[in-house]
């Protein structure tokens, strides 16, 4: 009888190997033999923990299945992919310790586009007081990538030194990002803070972002995006685009940036499109913006070109920019030229651009009245900002 029971138990465990965590809803990576010494590759342990988490069902009493990365330890991960869909209708990943990337080029096992990616996980929450450190000198990968993760929530973490963009969100709807701290050196190229593409209903708030590139970039397919209470700098500002590279049809709409600060950034409120593209950028607003020595606080650049082997000849077509509002800008900018640049393409140009309550002064020449360099732009500037055609604008 007891032999039978033992047999049965063994059979059960083998046959339902995924269910040995039955009823459990908290999965600490240490249970799965993660070491956490910052040297050992803990990727396999994390994948096992993920499998258990993703296979768990939501139990009434214990709540949402949660993967715990404990405090006081440092976990080394190689490029890793966490895939859904998961059984439970929501999953949590609580990061209290540190996750680090291999810190030399040779230490990376494989060359992928992303270091850590989450794919097709609905209702995923990643929160905690921990850190995700991309270690900068690894291969050129984006640090954390989310693909098809509807109802994604990211909260509280510190993201450091990604080799490329820190957080990329692609094909995700109804996303909330808050209380993050993203830091990379000012001179590290392409280290965007947060990149959004093909995603709608995204809320990003109360975060500080200082990197070597855009603090936040809204790329193709971004719509209904609210960005509130972000302190950006150093970096290249908050950018809609770049859009229309290599003749592409691309769009961005309903992007609202409010109560944000640009501190020592190269740009502030920026819209950038390539020559020769098509599509549109419309319904964009930047309101209640504080500037602390931002170089180009307001800029629409329809001649964007990163010069990396691109043919950037002026073209007859460009992504259409319209219905853009800049309201309530205060503080200082650091530019000997114009504070405001609207360098719009000949056709169709930039239509219905509103500037309202723009009260900014130059750190280099505090007595100077603000003015704008304008080409092919249409709209309402209130109070009137002198708008003139400047030699350095494109022909
Ligand atoms: C959840 O609670 C209900 C009512 O208390 C109970 O009938 C059901 O069996 C529970 N489900 C699970 C998975 O525990
Ligand atoms: C997301 O998860 C929460 C519980 O954490 C649940 O109440 C909610 O219904 C889920 N939403 C969806 C769309 O599954
Ligand atoms: C993470 O979220 C869960 C569920 O909302 C919550 O219980 C937990 O306290 C949060 N942890 C941190 C560190 O914010
Ligand atoms: C996302 O949120 C918006 C606005 O709250 C809502 O209208 C929409 O139905 C949601 N999307 C999905 C896929 O539930
Ligand atoms: C904003 O983020 C900071 C830093 O993460 C946090 O201390 C503060 O409580 C957050 N404020 C709100 C309103 O969430
Ligand atoms: C963005 O803000 C507007 C106005 O405050 C609000 O109506 C809208 O629902 C918000 N959108 C999202 C995605 O939070
Ligand atoms: C921006 O800040 C002001 C003043 O603190 C506040 O009244 C307003 O609600 C904030 N706007 C948003 C979108 O949070
Ligand atoms: C602006 O950035 C400088 C240099 O990083 C920093 O010392 C200062 O505290 C920042 N100011 C604000 C208001 O964040
Ligand atoms: C801008 O700030 C003013 C004053 O703090 C506030 O009343 C207003 O609601 C803010 N506007 C937005 C769009 O947040
Ligand atoms: C101009 O843009 C504003 C703000 O996006 C919008 O409300 C208004 O309808 C636009 N006007 C025209 C004529 O398109
Ligand atoms: C413009 O900003 C300066 C400095 O912050 C302030 O003293 C002045 O009252 C502001 N003017 C208007 C019209 O808001
Ligand atoms: C500005 O608006 C006027 C009147 O609608 C139009 O004729 C002109 O072409 C517009 N210019 C640009 C650059 O869009």
């Amino acid at each position: 009888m007891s032999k039978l029971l033992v047999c049965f138990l063994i059979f059960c465990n083998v046959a339902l190997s995924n269910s040995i965590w039955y009823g459990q809803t908290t999965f600490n990576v240490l249970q799965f033999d993660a070491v956490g010494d910052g040297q050992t590759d803990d990727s396999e342990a994390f994948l096992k923990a993920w499998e258990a988490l993703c296979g768990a069902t939501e139990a009434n009493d214990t709540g949402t299945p949660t993967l715990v990365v404990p405090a006081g330890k440092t976990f080394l991960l190689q490029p890793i992919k966490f895939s859904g869909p998961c059984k439970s209708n929501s999953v949590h990943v609580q990061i209290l310790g540190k996750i680090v990337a291999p810190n030399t080029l040779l230490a990376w096992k494989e060359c992928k586009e992303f270091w850590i990616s989450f794919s097709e996980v609905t209702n995923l929450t990643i929160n905690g007081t921990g850190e995700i450190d991309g270690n900068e000198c690894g291969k050129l990968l984006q640090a954390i990538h989310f693909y098809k993760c509807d109802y994604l929530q990211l909260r509280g973490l510190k993201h450091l030194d990604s080799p490329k963009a820190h957080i990329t969100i692609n094909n995700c709807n109804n996303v909330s990002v808050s209380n993050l701290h993203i830091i990379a050196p000012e001179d590290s190229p392409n280290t965007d803070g947060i990149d959004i593409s093909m995603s709608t209903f995204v809320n990003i708030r109360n975060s500080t972002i200082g990197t070597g590139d855009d603090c936040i970039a809204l790329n193709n397919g971004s719509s209904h995006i609210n960005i509130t209470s972000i302190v950006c700098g150093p970096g290249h500002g908050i950018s809609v685009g770049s859009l229309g590279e290599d003749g592409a049809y691309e769009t961005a709409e309903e992007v609202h940036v409010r109560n944000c600060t640009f501190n020592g950034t190269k740009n502030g409120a920026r819209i950038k499109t390539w020559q020769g593209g098509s599509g549109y950028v419309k319904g964009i607003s930047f309101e209640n913006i504080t500037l602390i020595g931002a170089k180009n606080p307001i800029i629409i650049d329809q001649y964007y070109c990163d010069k990396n082997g691109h043919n950037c000849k002026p073209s007859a077509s460009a992504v259409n920019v319209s219905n853009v509002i800049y309201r309530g800008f205060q503080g200082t900018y650091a530019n000997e030229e114009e504070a405001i640049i609207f360098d719009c393409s000949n056709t169709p140009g930039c239509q219905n651009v509103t500037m309202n309550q723009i009260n900014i002064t130059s750190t280099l020449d505090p007595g100077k009245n603000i003015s704008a360099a304008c080409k092919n732009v249409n709209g309402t500037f209130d109070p009137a900002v002198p708008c003139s055609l400047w030699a350095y604008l494109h022909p």
Side-chain angles (χ1 to χ4, degrees):
M1 185 67 188
S2 71
K3 253 188 192 166
L4 208 66
L5 183 63
V6 169
C7 246
F8 171 76
L9 284 176
I10 289 169
F11 172 75
C12 243
N13 278 349
V14 173
L16 307 170
S17 62
N18 259 346
S19 301
I20 54 172
W21 310 104
Y22 179 77
Q24 184 174 339
T25 50
T26 300
F27 305 91
N28 189 318
V29 293
L30 297 176
Q31 279 178 282
F32 297 85
D33 302 326
V35 177
D37 61 1
Q39 307 289 318
T40 311
D41 178 2
D42 283 325
S43 307
E44 209 182 309
F46 271 62
L47 279 178
K48 281 187 193 151
W50 175 260
E51 256 174 54
L53 174 87
C54 200
T57 48
E58 198 158 355
N60 293 345
D61 44 348
T62 40
T64 302
T66 303
L67 186 149
V68 177
V69 178
K73 293 197 175 283
T74 301
F75 300 92
L76 176 72
L77 296 185
Q78 288 287 342
I80 190 166
K81 182 172 178 182
F82 300 108
S83 302
C86 295
K87 273 194 182 162
S88 171
N89 79 352
S90 64
V91 288
H92 281 169
V93 175
Q94 204 174 74
I95 301 178
L96 305 169
K98 277 192 195 177
I99 293 177
V100 298
N103 67 358
T104 64
L105 208 56
L106 282 175
W108 288 90
K109 273 192 187 157
E110 4 168 20
C111 188
K112 287 190 173 165
E113 205 180 339
F114 316 113
W115 172 34
I116 301 175
S117 68
F118 290 87
S119 157
E120 298 183 60
V121 186
T122 303
N123 220 352
L124 166 67
T125 297
I126 301 184
N127 70 354
T129 50
E131 272 182 34
I132 298 186
D133 187 341
N135 254 328
E136 211 191 329
C137 60
K139 290 199 174 148
L140 277 184
L141 356 191
Q142 301 174 12
I144 303 198
H145 177 69
F146 297 94
Y147 174 70
K148 287 194 175 168
C149 292
D150 290 349
Y151 303 98
L152 172 68
Q153 295 189 43
L154 305 176
R155 280 199 301 271
L157 294 176
K158 192 168 177 179
H159 297 257
L160 298 164
D161 296 338
S162 171
K164 274 180 85 179
H166 287 76
I167 299 174
T168 55
I169 296 176
N170 176 256
N171 265 285
C172 301
N173 304 306
N174 297 35
V175 175
S176 159
V177 177
S178 62
N179 303 6
L180 298 187
H181 194 169
I182 304 176
I183 319 165
E186 184 168 6
D187 61 359
S188 57
N190 300 317
T191 53
D192 287 355
I194 303 174
D195 280 1
I196 310 285
S197 56
M198 299 309 293
S199 297
T200 66
F201 300 107
V202 178
N203 232 308
I204 304 176
R205 57 181 189 278
N206 189 41
S207 296
T208 59
I209 306 176
T211 71
D213 207 311
D214 292 333
C215 289
I216 301 175
L218 294 318
N219 292 308
N220 183 34
S222 299
S223 75
H224 298 96
I225 315 285
N226 287 351
I227 297 173
T228 311
S229 304
I230 303 296
V231 177
C232 166
H236 295 183
I238 295 180
S239 298
V240 176
S242 59
L243 297 177
E245 184 175 357
D246 295 330
Y249 175 93
E250 296 190 328
T251 66
E253 64 188 305
E254 298 301 331
V255 175
H256 304 290
V257 179
R258 293 175 288 212
N259 291 2
C260 290
T261 299
F262 294 107
N263 183 0
T265 52
K266 201 167 155 191
N267 305 288
R270 175 156 72 152
I271 296 174
K272 48 177 175 172
T273 67
W274 296 72
Q275 282 283 291
S278 62
Y280 57 84
V281 169
K282 67 183 178 196
I284 310 295
S285 67
F286 293 92
E287 293 185 68
N288 286 359
I289 304 296
T290 301
L291 301 171
I292 305 169
K295 198 159 175 289
N296 297 305
I298 294 178
I299 178 167
I300 300 179
D301 178 7
Q302 290 217 283
Y303 293 83
Y304 180 74
C305 180
D306 69 5
K307 299 191 175 65
N308 286 337
H310 281 278
N311 174 353
C312 291
K313 281 192 191 133
S315 156
S317 70
V319 174
N320 192 349
V321 174
S322 66
N323 301 5
V324 182
I325 297 174
Y326 303 93
R327 177 178 295 137
F329 278 58
Q330 297 181 24
T332 58
Y333 68 96
N335 189 343
E336 282 165 357
E337 310 286 347
E338 306 312 306
I340 297 161
I341 297 171
F342 295 128
D343 194 2
C344 299
S345 195
N346 292 325
T347 45
C350 302
Q351 282 129 43
N352 189 19
V353 173
T354 303
M355 279 203 290
N356 215 322
Q357 302 158 21
I358 307 295
N359 180 17
I360 58 181
T361 55
S362 166
T363 51
L364 306 173
D365 184 1
K368 184 179 164 184
N369 288 326
I370 59 159
S371 57
C374 301
K375 210 196 63 178
N376 299 326
V377 60
N378 222 333
T380 315
F381 299 171
D382 174 29
V385 173
C387 202
S388 50
L389 190 62
W390 276 71
Y392 58 81
L393 296 178
H394 289 83

